[in-house]
Amino acid sequence: MPNTLIFVDLPADDPAAAARFYAEVFGWRDDHKPLGIYHRMVPGGMFANPDGTESLVGNLHVGIFNPANARPHPDPSGVEPRSIAAEGRKPRIWVLIGDDDTPERILSAAEERGATVLWRDHFWSTFNGLNHAFRDPWGNEIVLWGKAGDPPAVPEGYTRE
């Protein structure tokens, strides 16, 4: 059995505000543990079986933590660094666009809540995805991935690689 990825954490100096952002943009449930300290964003649903039915495995979760005192940690007062990294590349989070949603709605909702759209309308043939990206108000980069189909249906005007 391989080691299994179960969570990815995003830093935010206001975890409650970041949780509201993701709840409003993606419709994820905010499961704060405790409020303002650590928020587990629960996208809901289960991974699909090959036949399309739901498996018993829940979708991955995203955590939001405050870098001023990143929990969990053995030291109750936390340790340095206590700020969000500002320079250079950071990890990116990829989000699959649901069949009942659109990248336009997601990007618009994110932008209305303080995000910056980084790029839109790009086809990446390596993973057969229609991609778009934004930076949330805390500097985290989110890449949206849409299914292009088999064979891929790439809309006119998309850049390609």
Side-chain angles (χ1 to χ4, degrees):
M1 175 76 179
N3 296 315
T4 303
L5 176 67
I6 58 169
F7 250 76
V8 174
D9 282 347
L10 300 175
D13 55 9
D14 186 343
R20 278 191 307 278
F21 175 91
Y22 284 99
E24 292 170 358
V25 170
F26 291 116
W28 295 344
R29 188 180 84 230
D30 175 11
D31 185 13
H32 56 276
K33 297 189 174 287
L35 180 66
I37 304 297
Y38 189 89
H39 290 249
R40 179 177 69 172
M41 303 308 298
V42 183
M46 305 297 232
F47 280 108
N49 289 314
D51 67 1
T53 61
E54 284 194 345
S55 73
L56 298 177
V57 180
N59 285 326
L60 300 178
H61 298 157
V62 173
I64 301 173
F65 73 97
N66 189 337
N69 188 353
R71 308 309 316 150
H73 193 278
D75 182 342
S77 61
V79 295
E80 296 294 332
R82 295 180 185 274
S83 61
I84 296 171
E87 300 297 323
R89 287 280 182 201
K90 299 181 201 178
R92 298 182 303 173
I93 305 300
W94 289 71
V95 176
L96 173 63
I97 301 165
D99 291 340
D100 60 348
D101 208 346
T102 67
E104 295 80 17
R105 191 217 53 86
I106 294 169
L107 292 172
S108 177
E111 205 167 27
E112 288 169 9
R113 290 161 177 80
T116 301
V117 173
L118 300 173
W119 44 270
R120 2 173 142 239
D121 304 341
H122 180 70
F123 173 65
W124 191 13
S125 62
T126 302
F127 290 100
N128 193 28
L130 305 173
N131 303 133
H132 320 267
F134 68 86
R135 184 177 297 115
D136 75 11
W138 300 273
N140 299 298
E141 190 172 323
I142 309 300
V143 180
L144 303 176
W145 187 85
K147 300 171 188 171
D150 184 23
V154 182
E156 192 171 322
Y158 270 58
T159 55
R160 297 168 180 251
E161 74 177 281

